[in-house]
């Protein structure tokens, strides 16, 4: 620790009472306050005071020392005082060696003050960590962590806890970062001295600090957690209205508990770092402001919002129930329950017919050494499902965050089928242990085109720990990346495969069928005569072929970006046989149920049933898909979403959402 | 350079025409487009095409190779084509070894494309610097530099050049960063291909790009600089209205010159990095968007605004002429002219009686390898001098920047007497070769108090290269750091000394006078009977002594901060004998002309004449000051500012401003 010296003034003929914080050095310019004609000085002090003279005197011993024009006396105290003014230091000034010209006396009271946080990230608030005042990423890094208190302790009349004026439930303290003010010293501070906690104006919109009113130590506070009636015992110390406030000095060896609450996620104008200071104020004479004579400072970083890729284990699967999706629900329920997970159904009174569970929300989480909980990011899409995340999901230990696009039209690209995340990857030696976020936009070269709204993009980039990749998805009518790509777990290579829709793979399969004399096999068999079409008919449709050439070139462009940005080889990618056709504004939709738009539940995949041509009674598309996935130890369940999703331009993935386990990797251990 | 592969699709039975950018690798999935039942393939190509097969075939030579399900053909071209389609590659598919099932043919046209900037910062736009796409600080760093085009080529009807719709003078091109598009290839691109330059929406408010309309190379463009009539030849390519625009392909070996203009200084929400991309677009079939098949990207950092400390040589000294400051002007003129610099007088029709030249503006500069010019920062203070920086200073190669505090009351602390900069320092091993900015605010612990407005503070912090320090100046009535501190050059130690006002040093001097029997010597001698006061009277004024104790404790607090933040020792600091007295709201003003508030012109100091008590006909304060400065080889000139400045609560420094030479150290060589 660097000991910052503090300048102290003394006066001959006077006794000065001084507070000395253990660990700080007081410096006195001996010349400055010497009586006129002084030539020598000597220093005496009580045993707890250590002093030195700079420049060091040529003479040795306790004999009077020459004043040299810039003689400094530096002293420290190494233990706290038990009563006030229990140490003493005096400077005697001499003219010639024996002639005493004056004497300055200092009465000293020593205190120990340490504002403490969990800077080593082990869940404990250690004493005076030397690195508590700065942030460093990585396993050898340091710096305390703050959560945005974006859940709601209340299930009814709910509001995010950070929006409530006070701590309304003791359980809410768990969502805040513990901070402890440790002090040692006499029972009371000398008259006029006080402790003040303060934050900067810039940080005030990002943080609040509460404290326990109890004067007891930690143990008793923990006991208080069981008594709701103690809720009022957590007064607000700092917030946007109070940048600075006095905090009590408890006397003796004391600990006072504080609770620090994050209010804002990192964003374009907020890196996520905030600092809190604790100062000891010295009284001045009448009416003058008090002077901070010692300041201790701690730094927190607000935890980023983190997304969870398909390779993480599911916890809950969410779908909507509508008047027409019984078939789909049945398939999903069987898949989810057979896989051992919970199916959560959002009923019609809440979804009002909006079945696109994927598009309204994205599940993520926030994590710290002391607490972790899921946080739903609510899309600015705001369909009929818009109340679901706030009204249903937000609750105790379930957070909510959103970004509002003011004065900007949101587009279909703002739906979160267009927001995915890769499994962990290594790219040219750079490790992304939490994967990389993937969104879809227009070509960067496009003079017009749809985009994901800026406030959401800014939010995603500002989280930093899953550096986003922008793909080209504007070629699709709906425009979501989940229409042409997904990730599935794999036992080998990088631990996953990227699955891409591939018209070329589709045409290859269809041509193979034709070659094997199955040209008369029918797509959409059993879905009604107007839907059915033979393999030969598909292959002879030159317009469809041209459209799919274009689609393949769009997907190939994304394939090149994904290879580059995720460090993938060609054998990390599997092409799925999927055809598209092109609709209004030259934008594409899946020709038959888009198998890549699947739900991934561990080793079980819920895949849109493609209704492909049958060979020996078995769907050739399902057969191909199953064979490709079997090689990875994955099991395919085909879910009929034809009428209730596919015809409405979405599929299984669009109609579901999965909350997953968090990463075991801790975001603060990232090397940045 | 990393060669990013691009996925290419071929079809058997067809000839595909393909553009290949030299330096990129094209990859073809041979299996994906193979005719059904294909088992083997072979590849042939013209000499300029290099190919390889992955995974490498077990067989060798030109014999047919087995298809293995994921066989990739990868090829590159190493020189540009002179005519279109001058190279060829074909893939032959076989069933059994001899049975030909199909053949895919590719006709190739190669081009070289490089968007080039001065990424190595030597003032020249080198060819295809491998680091042009990123920024790295330091002498071994890289990344091109952009200036905010904040000067005005026009002296009349002026406006900052960045606010004009077009390049209005060819001389303006010097303020922009050169960027060159170098291309090699056939005379024309194949039908439908085109080049597009583009920026992101986020960067569009920070940058514009112009180009030369001339199709000639660099040499001819330079010649054009002499012909004003060619001004219209610099059309706008990119700006906030045009994020993407086609740029001509010139054919053969060509260079097209672009001029990149910065529009915004780094700020809280803008780190200063912008990137510009150049893509080659491939046509798609009817109506589909074109696909970017190659993108080159360059990065610029906007040059920060840099302040100049007192240790840099002066260029011009600015003062105001008012109806009552003849005496001051005369003193200043003599000092400045004797020192060999230019005195610039702002006359009363412009200053309208506002004499505080220090407070309305701060001189700084912006620097790049290709251009450098002074930039005045205009304070939100906006006194009667407010039109001076824009109307007088802004001009050719003299930039202007300001920050406006909306809906916030500005205070006296927003004046730029409260904005200074230290000489270069090293602090705990960290080097600040451009020094550190110093501002004054209220105590961080204060519950109320005056502050420097947030937009200005945000601006100063965002420049990054002179990391600011906040001192406590709110204890002063006027509240400016230049009331208690300045820096002067020194031949030894750190190359400078910090001068601090010191009431203790003042009292020591006065006590010494009393001791030496000069207690009846008069302060303010000759300024009229009501001003005069004896040394004895001063020393017997207990209230004054108490006020100065408080002032000394305020200055000592700042002294401790300065020592810590600038890495200073006590002998880097000189205490000047200056007394204060305390006025309304317990805020202080100088008791006699505040000698620390000086103007520093090389080795010559212009110091407020203190009108101290005379000993043997000589002012004791001047004598002490001169003796302290003489030791550093500095020469003191005392300027009478009593009536026209001191009585109005300012002094020489407040009433003047110095434009100085820039640092020889280049900001981009900072290690960050």
């Amino acid at each position: 620790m660097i000991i910052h010296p503090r300048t102290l003034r003394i006066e001959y003929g006077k006794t000065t009472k001084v507070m000395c914080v253990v660990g700080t050095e007081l410096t006195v310019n001996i010349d400055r306050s010497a009586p006129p004609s002084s030539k020598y000085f000597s220093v005496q002090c009580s045993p707890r005071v250590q002093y030195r003279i700079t420049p060091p005197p040529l003479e040795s011993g306790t004999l009077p020392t020459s004043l040299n024009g810039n003689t400094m006396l530096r002293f420290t105290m190494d233990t706290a005082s038990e009563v006030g003014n229990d140490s003493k230091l005096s400077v005697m000034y001499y003219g010639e060696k024996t002639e005493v010209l004056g004497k300055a006396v200092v009465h000293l009271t020593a205190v120990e003050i340490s504002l403490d946080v969990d800077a080593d990230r082990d869940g404990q608030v250690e004493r005076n960590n030397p690195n508590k005042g700065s942030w460093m990423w990585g396993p050898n890094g340091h710096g305390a962590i703050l959560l945005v208190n974006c859940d709601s302790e209340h299930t009814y009349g709910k509001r995010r806890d950070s929006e409530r004026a006070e701590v309304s439930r003791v359980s809410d303290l768990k969502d805040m970062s513990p901070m402890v003010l440790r002090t040692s010293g006499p029972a009371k501070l000398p008259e006029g001295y006080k402790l003040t906690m303060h934050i900067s104006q810039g940080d005030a919109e990002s943080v609040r600090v509460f404290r326990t009113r109890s004067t007891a130590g930690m143990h008793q506070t923990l006991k208080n957690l069981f008594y709701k009636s103690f809720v009022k015992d957590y007064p607000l110390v700092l917030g946007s209205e109070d940048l600075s406030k006095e905090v009590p000095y408890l006397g003796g060896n004391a600990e006072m508990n504080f609770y620090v609450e994050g209010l804002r996620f990192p964003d374009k104008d907020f890196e996520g770092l905030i600092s809190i200071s604790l100062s000891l104020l010295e009284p001045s004479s009448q009416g003058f402001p008090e002077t901070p004579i010692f300041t201790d400072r701690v730094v927190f970083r607000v935890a980023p919002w983190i997304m969870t890729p398909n390779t993480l284990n599911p916890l809950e699967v969410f779908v909507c129930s509508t008047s027409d999706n019984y078939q789909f629900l049945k398939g999903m329920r069987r898949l989810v329950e057979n896989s051992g997970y919970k199916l959560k159904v959002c009923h019609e009174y809440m979804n009002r017919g909006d079945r696109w569970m994927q598009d309204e929300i994205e599940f993520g989480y926030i994590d710290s050494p002391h607490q972790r909980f899921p946080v739903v990011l609510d899309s600015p899409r705001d369909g009929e499902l818009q109340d679901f995340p706030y009204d249903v999901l937000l609750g105790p230990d379930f957070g909510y965050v959103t970004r509002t696009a003011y004065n900007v039209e949101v587009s279909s690209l703002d739906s979160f089928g267009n927001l995915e995340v890769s499994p962990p990857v290594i790219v040219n030696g750079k490790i992304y242990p939490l994967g990389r976020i993937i969104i879809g936009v227009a070509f960067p070269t496009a003079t017009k085109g749809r985009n994901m709204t800026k406030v959401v993009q800014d939010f995603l980039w500002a989280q930093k720990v899953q550096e986003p990749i922008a793909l080209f998805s504007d070629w699709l009518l709906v425009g979501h990346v989940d229409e042409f790509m997904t990730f599935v777990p794999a036992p080998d290579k990088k631990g996953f495969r990227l699955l891409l829709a591939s018209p070329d793979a589709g045409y290859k399969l269809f041509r193979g069928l034709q070659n094997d004399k199955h040209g008369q096999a029918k797509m959409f068999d059993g879905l009604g005569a107007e839907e059915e079409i033979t393999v030969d008919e598909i292959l002879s449709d030159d317009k469809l072929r041209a459209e799919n050439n274009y689609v393949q070139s769009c997907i190939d462009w994304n394939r090149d970006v994904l290879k580059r940005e995720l460090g993938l080889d060609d054998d990390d990618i599997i092409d799925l046989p999927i055809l598209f056709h092109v609709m209004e504004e030259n934008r594409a939709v899946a020709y038959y149920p888009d198998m890549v738009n699947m739900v991934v539940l561990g080793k079980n995949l819920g895949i849109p049933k493609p209704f492909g041509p049958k060979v020996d009674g078995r769907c050739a598309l399902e057969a191909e898909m199953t064979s490709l996935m079997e090689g990875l130890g994955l099991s395919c369940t085909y879910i009929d979403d034809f009428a209730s999703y596919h015809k409405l331009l979405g599929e299984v993935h669009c109609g579901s959402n999965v909350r997953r386990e968090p990463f075991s990797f801790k975001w603060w251990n990232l090397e940045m």
Side-chain angles (χ1 to χ4, degrees), chain A:
Chain A
M1 204 177 108
I2 298 160
I3 298 178
H4 296 306
R6 170 161 77 92
T7 296
L8 176 70
R9 306 176 55 247
I10 59 175
E11 281 187 84
Y12 66 91
K14 286 211 175 160
T15 297
T16 314
K17 290 185 179 171
V18 171
M19 287 285 290
C20 178
V21 178
V22 173
T24 64
E25 186 182 67
L26 292 165
T27 67
V28 179
N29 187 322
I30 299 279
D31 288 284
R32 203 201 253 184
S33 44
S37 315
S38 303
K39 293 213 163 60
Y40 300 93
F41 72 99
S42 66
V43 178
Q44 278 193 305
C45 64
S46 4
R48 282 181 185 169
V49 182
Q50 295 81 41
Y51 79 88
R52 60 195 176 103
I53 308 290
T54 57
L58 299 173
E59 312 93 338
S60 62
T62 54
L63 291 168
T65 307
S66 304
L67 285 162
N68 81 344
N70 212 11
T71 308
M72 305 297 295
L73 164 67
R74 299 163 187 276
F75 65 94
T76 55
M77 293 185 66
D78 57 9
T79 45
S81 299
E82 289 178 15
V83 294
N85 302 310
D86 64 357
S87 287
K88 210 175 123 176
L89 177 140
S90 63
V91 181
M92 192 84 86
Y93 293 97
Y94 309 92
E96 294 311 321
K97 296 230 169 186
T98 51
E99 177 204 8
V100 175
L101 295 181
K103 183 181 180 184
V105 177
V106 184
H107 286 175
L108 288 159
T109 307
V111 287
E112 272 185 74
I113 301 174
S114 181
L115 186 62
D116 289 334
V117 291
D118 178 17
D120 61 1
R121 306 159 181 171
D122 66 352
Q124 301 299 318
V125 176
E126 65 274 13
R127 185 179 287 270
N128 210 3
N129 187 313
N131 295 316
K132 66 188 180 181
S134 63
W135 172 268
M136 200 174 105
W137 291 94
N140 302 316
H142 55 258
I145 288 159
L146 200 59
L147 297 179
V148 178
N149 196 2
C150 59
D151 69 336
S152 169
E153 297 304 313
H154 297 256
T155 311
Y156 296 100
K158 65 170 89 158
R159 218 186 308 167
R160 274 172 286 185
D161 294 328
S162 60
E163 293 165 337
R164 289 186 186 272
E166 69 283 320
V167 179
S168 63
R169 295 250 165 104
V170 220
S171 59
D172 198 26
L173 299 176
K174 285 184 301 165
D175 303 337
M176 305 186 193
S177 298
M179 181 167 76
V180 180
L181 173 59
R182 295 189 167 106
T183 51
S184 284
K188 288 192 166 192
L189 289 179
E191 179 68 20
Y193 283 85
K194 59 189 189 191
L195 296 173
T196 294
M197 190 171 284
H198 48 105
I199 51 177
S200 72
Q201 183 146 29
D203 285 352
E205 56 185 352
S206 309
V207 70
R208 290 197 297 187
V209 179
F210 297 90
R211 69 172 173 89
T212 169
R213 195 186 297 280
S214 155
T215 57
M218 252 186 165
H219 178 65
Q220 231 175 318
T221 308
L222 279 171
K223 248 171 53 188
N224 286 352
L225 292 176
F226 297 100
Y227 299 101
K228 275 198 188 171
S229 55
F230 282 90
V231 161
K232 294 270 171 213
D233 273 347
Y234 299 94
L236 180 68
V237 182
L238 301 177
S240 57
E241 304 295 309
D242 293 294
L243 304 185
S244 177
K245 197 177 275 179
E246 184 178 353
V247 297
Y249 169 80
L250 299 181
N253 287 312
E255 297 194 342
M256 171 163 270
N257 294 311
F258 293 84
Y259 305 93
V260 187
E261 178 187 52
L263 306 178
R264 286 179 74 196
F265 279 94
D267 214 327
K268 189 175 170 62
D269 61 349
F270 176 48
E271 202 201 334
L273 291 176
I274 71 112
S275 59
I276 299 175
S277 298
L278 189 285
S279 292
L280 174 62
L281 297 186
E282 184 175 67
S284 295
S285 32
Q286 75 306 336
F288 295 125
E290 298 130 335
T291 309
I293 58 169
F294 168 81
T295 298
D296 206 15
R297 200 175 72 103
V298 295
V299 160
F300 290 89
R301 181 180 282 276
V302 176
W305 179 79
I306 299 171
M307 287 177 59
T308 54
N310 283 350
T311 44
L312 291 172
N313 280 336
L315 293 168
E316 297 175 316
V317 180
F318 291 80
V319 288
C320 289
S321 138
T322 62
S323 58
D324 59 355
N325 76 343
Y326 172 75
Q327 192 66 24
F328 169 80
L329 270 190
K330 205 173 81 176
M332 283 297 288
R333 184 176 303 278
R334 192 180 307 136
L335 167 70
V336 172
E337 288 174 359
N338 285 347
S339 307
Y341 307 114
K342 263 188 284 188
L343 185 73
K344 297 262 190 153
V345 178
C346 170
H347 293 285
E348 201 155 9
Y349 71 88
M350 173 56 67
N351 69 48
R352 292 170 285 186
D354 183 350
R355 68 199 67 204
W356 307 114
M357 182 53 87
Q358 181 65 220
D359 289 338
E360 189 59 47
I361 58 172
E362 188 72 41
F363 288 113
Y365 68 96
I366 57 178
D367 196 5
S368 73
H370 58 280
Q371 173 72 313
R372 176 175 79 190
F373 55 74
V375 175
V376 62
L377 176 64
D378 184 3
S379 162
R381 161 189 188 260
D382 290 348
E384 294 296 318
L385 259 171
Q386 66 170 310
D387 295 337
F388 172 70
Y390 196 94
D391 289 355
V392 177
L393 296 176
L394 172 63
D397 291 346
F398 206 117
Y400 173 94
V401 59
T402 190
R403 282 296 177 270
T404 310
Y406 293 104
N407 304 320
V408 183
E409 214 174 311
V410 299
S411 76
S412 174
L413 274 67
D414 288 308
S415 291
F416 287 166
N418 198 29
L419 169 62
E420 300 298 321
V421 63
S422 83
V425 289
I426 302 175
V427 187
N428 296 324
K430 184 169 178 189
I431 307 175
Y432 295 89
L434 305 173
R436 297 187 67 177
I437 287 172
I438 293 167
I439 64 164
V441 295
F443 271 139
T445 52
T447 47
K448 57 182 180 181
R450 296 170 302 173
N451 226 310
M452 183 177 276
T453 193
K454 190 166 177 302
V455 286
V456 175
Q457 289 203 43
D458 286 346
F459 173 82
L460 295 174
W461 258 265
Q463 306 312 307
K464 264 191 168 171
V465 297
Q466 300 179 301
E467 188 188 344
I469 302 165
L471 294 182
F472 169 49
S473 68
D474 192 31
W475 60 274
L476 287 148
L477 185 62
V478 174
H480 299 174
V481 292
D482 71 348
E483 297 178 79
F484 64 86
M485 58 161 289
T486 194
F487 297 95
V488 293
D492 56 355
K493 299 186 193 285
K494 303 190 167 68
F496 68 89
R497 293 288 190 286
L498 168 63
L499 308 187
L500 287 178
S502 169
D504 277 0
Y507 271 96
K508 191 175 178 199
L509 182 142
F510 285 104
R511 274 201 215 99
L513 290 178
Q514 190 180 51
N515 225 38
D516 295 344
K517 320 287 181 228
H518 299 293
Q520 284 304 303
K522 285 175 191 155
M523 286 281 325
F524 307 124
D525 198 7
L527 291 169
E530 76 279 14
E531 302 280 4
E532 292 173 4
I533 184 167
T534 66
V535 169
D536 287 342
E537 284 168 330
I538 287 173
L539 288 177
S540 64
D541 184 341
D542 289 343
K543 182 162 168 295
L544 186 68
R545 176 69 236 195
E547 290 171 0
N548 276 286
N549 280 347
Y550 166 68
V551 167
Q552 185 67 58
S553 75
C554 293
I555 296 175
D556 281 345
W557 191 89
N558 287 310
R559 179 193 186 97
D560 291 339
V561 174
L562 286 163
K563 281 168 67 179
R564 186 169 72 230
E565 299 294 337
L566 297 179
L568 303 183
D569 302 319
D570 285 299
D571 52 9
D572 296 316
I573 306 175
I574 296 176
D575 289 316
L576 304 184
I578 296 165
L579 301 191
F580 289 77
H581 61 139
V582 171
M583 313 279 284
E584 64 242 49
E585 292 180 330
N586 278 317
R587 287 189 170 121
V589 301
Y591 186 72
Y592 47 81
D594 185 1
M595 293 185 291
V596 79
N597 194 273
M598 63 176 66
V599 61
V600 180
L601 303 176
K603 291 184 180 304
N604 297 321
L605 312 180
I607 300 171
K609 186 176 175 60
F611 292 95
K614 286 190 180 143
V615 172
D616 303 331
R618 190 173 175 210
C619 169
L621 288 169
E622 286 187 23
E624 169 73 1
M625 183 76 197
T626 300
S627 131
L628 288 168
M629 295 300 103
E630 265 174 0
L632 303 172
L634 300 173
S635 150
C636 300
T637 301
Y638 296 93
I639 293 172
D640 178 0
D641 70 354
F642 194 84
S644 55
Y645 290 82
H646 174 70
K647 294 296 252 183
L648 302 173
L649 308 183
E651 313 280 358
V652 172
H653 188 257
C654 307
S656 62
N657 216 320
V658 184
R659 186 166 77 78
R660 298 179 185 276
E661 283 180 2
F663 284 99
S664 57
F665 182 89
K666 299 302 185 183
W667 62 267
W668 53 88
N669 286 330
L670 268 170
E671 307 269 15
M672 299 283 269

